[in-house]
Amino acid sequence: MIFHRLFAEQALLPDGWARNVLFEVDADGFVSAVTADSPGQSPGEGAERVAGPVVPGMANLHSHAFQRVMAGLAEQAAHPDDSFWTWRELMYRFVGRLDPPQIEAIATQLYVELLKAGYTAVGEFHYLHHAPDGAAYADRAETGKRLLAAARTAGLGITLLPVLYGYGGFGGQPLGEGQRRFRNDPEGILEIVARLQAAASGDPQVRIGLAPHSLRAVTPGSLSEALEGVNALDPAAPLHIHVAEQTKEVEECLAWCGRRPVAWLLGEVAVDSRWCLVHATHMESSETGALARSGAVAGLCPTTEANLGDGLFDGPRFWTAGGAWGIGSDSHVSQSPIEELRLLEYGQRLRDRRRNVLRGTAPGVGAELFRGALAGGAQALGRPLGRLAPGSRADLLVLDPETPALIGLEGDPLLDALVFAGNVNPVRDVAVGGRWVVRQGRHTAEAQALRGFAEARRALLA
Ligand code: NGQ
Ligand code: ZN
């Protein structure tokens, strides 16, 4: 049954830009048909003519939603050696104060913002499972369900990745005080996965995966036990892990096993296209090539990696090797896919003192970045996203044809301008599963979401 027909004068389809495109969307929010060069100026009856060029919605493959409430609050110099690790201490202090309704309120605000900026799906890397004293809630999946509720309220697609977090460092070191809320053994996290799968069953907007937090937070035994368990529940479940974000992690991994984190992971675990390796900042060239060949997605989070002083990904080598990649907003110092893509390229330019570094087959660098992040993001989230074709989700953006950055442009040059000059948000309307969630830059739930967020922020600052 056709639920909705949309007509766009210009749209980015899997094979390239097309004109006069008629999209048909079914009642479950999947694209059921796409017809380019649809006859005449008056398309088939009942079609809604959209106001500007249409592109697929962007995937945000890495989010810790609760960190939205502390974005911007960790920018005061405290020690001469402020670092990722001192930021993490501050983050643990915020974590200790949040209750489930606040977690939901913060996530709702974040998800509304992500939609307005052009993300239509998120990968939620969720480790804040338990009460502040470390005790499990009556429903072990309580906080995960809060995130599903926030995504539903906002209308955002979600791949929820419950996190296995068992240890405080390599070799099974005990957890610190600030990490008590994260703690699960394989059995505990698999129960959460199963409960969330049941809660999400039949919902095409939701997918459940699993995320070992990092090699710091698991042992080889707990990792393989959790992977076996999740494969029994869903053999295609997306698998995400933080890896090699900081040089200290690389040093500690070398001290523990004599190998670097990415090398260890690729050598000991069957890493394939189901996997997303988040950050993968510090790799030797052999690791970069091997990661690209594994088929896994590199989950790049440029604004957070810059904010936390991580380092720069070796883009040229990974691009040459044909690696898959996508973007995430991680700690949410930015909610804009444009800013992530731009900073990804700018970091490479600043390091290499060259221009147009992350190039693909087509000349446009912005277009290459936009397309690459659509494909890798869809892969990492394990949902049919990122392409406007039959069988995929009808998640799309209508760009504002009146925004100065885009005026007079079409096709790939429009994407170049979007990425490198889209400073005023050029996203006008957003549909997820064929339903409008943002119209003329406004989300229907934005006022309510902001009130909930303001309350949570006030409570945290009190
Ligand atoms: C996180 N964030 O899990 O929120 C981490 C910090 C850690 C980033 N890596 C904590 N950006 O890695 O131990
Ligand atoms: Zn992260």
Side-chain angles (χ1 to χ4, degrees), residues 47-70:
E48 178 183 351
R49 176 181 280 263
V50 301
V54 164
V55 297
M58 186 54 72
N60 181 342
L61 56 65
H62 191 69
S63 160
H64 309 287
F66 75 87
Q67 291 176 14
R68 174 67 186 92
V69 79
M70 63 172 287

Side-chain angles (χ1 to χ4, degrees), residues 107-169:
T108 303
Q109 168 64 21
L110 170 69
Y111 295 167
V112 164
E113 290 175 279
L114 296 182
L115 282 162
K116 289 173 73 171
Y119 289 116
T120 48
V122 71
E124 186 58 48
F125 196 105
H126 173 53
Y127 56 80
L128 188 42
H129 300 293
H130 305 312
D133 64 358
Y137 290 108
D139 178 352
R140 262 191 110 73
E142 165 76 29
T143 59
K145 289 180 183 173
R146 295 284 180 165
L147 295 170
L148 295 183
R152 201 175 311 117
T153 303
L156 183 71
I158 184 168
T159 297
L160 183 54
L161 303 147
V163 171
L164 173 64
Y165 201 121
Y167 302 93

Side-chain angles (χ1 to χ4, degrees), residues 64 67 84 88 91 127 213 216 242 245 279 308 330:
H64 309 287
Q67 291 176 14
F84 174 93
R88 196 174 73 152
M91 185 267 278
Y127 56 80
H213 180 274
R216 292 177 269 124
H242 290 128
E245 179 178 9
H279 309 302
L308 297 180
D330 192 349

Side-chain angles (χ1 to χ4, degrees), residues 373-418:
L374 285 176
Q379 182 184 324
L381 296 189
R383 298 182 56 233
L385 307 173
R387 43 205 317 277
L388 297 173
S392 293
R393 298 298 295 162
D395 296 358
L396 55 89
L397 316 178
V398 179
L399 303 175
D400 184 355
E402 317 264 275
T403 203
L406 306 186
I407 279 181
L409 301 177
E410 54 180 42
D412 280 4
L414 180 141
L415 291 178
D416 293 339
L418 178 80

Side-chain angles (χ1 to χ4, degrees), residues 51-366:
V54 164
V55 297
M58 186 54 72
N60 181 342
L61 56 65
H62 191 69
S63 160
H64 309 287
F66 75 87
Q67 291 176 14
R68 174 67 186 92
V69 79
M70 63 172 287
L73 306 187
E75 310 301 328
Q76 298 188 341
H79 315 275
D81 53 351
D82 274 335
S83 69
F84 174 93
W85 306 100
T86 56
W87 169 86
R88 196 174 73 152
E89 286 305 319
L90 203 64
M91 185 267 278
Y92 289 168
R93 292 223 287 280
F94 279 100
V95 158
R97 296 186 210 152
L98 296 169
D99 65 17
Q102 290 169 332
I103 292 169
E104 181 174 339
I106 296 162
T108 303
Q109 168 64 21
L110 170 69
Y111 295 167
V112 164
E113 290 175 279
L114 296 182
L115 282 162
K116 289 173 73 171
Y119 289 116
T120 48
V122 71
E124 186 58 48
F125 196 105
H126 173 53
Y127 56 80
L128 188 42
H129 300 293
H130 305 312
D133 64 358
Y137 290 108
D139 178 352
R140 262 191 110 73
E142 165 76 29
T143 59
K145 289 180 183 173
R146 295 284 180 165
L147 295 170
L148 295 183
R152 201 175 311 117
T153 303
L156 183 71
I158 184 168
T159 297
L160 183 54
L161 303 147
V163 171
L164 173 64
Y165 201 121
Y167 302 93
F170 284 96
Q173 292 168 44
L175 290 174
E177 206 28 39
Q179 298 166 326
R180 282 183 305 190
R181 299 192 73 175
F182 317 156
R183 199 197 143 269
N184 274 296
D185 57 15
E187 195 186 335
I189 202 65
L190 291 168
E191 185 189 331
I192 291 174
V193 170
R195 281 169 175 269
L196 293 172
Q197 282 178 339
S201 159
D203 186 342
Q205 300 263 86
V206 183
R207 183 81 198 255
I208 309 297
L210 177 81
H213 180 274
S214 56
L215 294 180
R216 292 177 269 124
V218 299
T219 56
S222 66
L223 177 59
S224 60
E225 195 181 331
L227 293 176
E228 259 173 52
V230 80
N231 286 343
L233 293 170
D234 176 0
L239 303 168
H240 290 215
I241 187 170
H242 290 128
V243 71
E245 179 178 9
Q246 285 278 319
T247 50
K248 181 164 171 261
E249 175 181 315
V250 177
E251 286 154 21
E252 289 175 356
C253 189
L254 280 165
W256 169 63
C257 70
R259 275 184 286 172
R260 304 166 62 84
V262 174
W264 189 92
L265 197 63
L266 295 177
E268 299 300 318
V269 177
V271 171
D272 60 13
S273 57
R274 277 169 78 190
W275 282 82
C276 175
L277 273 58
V278 181
H279 309 302
T281 309
H282 299 288
M283 297 191 287
E284 285 182 341
S285 53
S286 59
E287 293 175 289
T288 305
L291 175 57
R293 286 190 300 277
S294 75
V297 176
L300 308 177
C301 307
T303 61
T304 292
E305 289 157 8
N307 185 276
L308 297 180
D310 291 341
L312 288 168
F313 186 76
D314 183 354
R317 197 177 299 276
F318 195 71
W319 257 244
T320 304
W325 62 277
I327 50 166
S329 60
D330 192 349
S331 67
H332 309 300
V333 284
S334 167
Q335 297 84 41
S336 161
I338 291 173
E339 203 178 351
E340 301 300 341
L341 293 173
R342 185 186 304 167
L343 185 58
L344 174 59
E345 166 71 14
Y346 280 176
Q348 309 291 313
R349 291 188 191 186
L350 286 162
R351 180 195 56 211
D352 298 347
R353 287 173 279 154
R354 287 169 44 208
R355 300 193 72 250
N356 301 330
V357 178
L358 301 176
R359 45 177 77 209
T361 42
V365 173

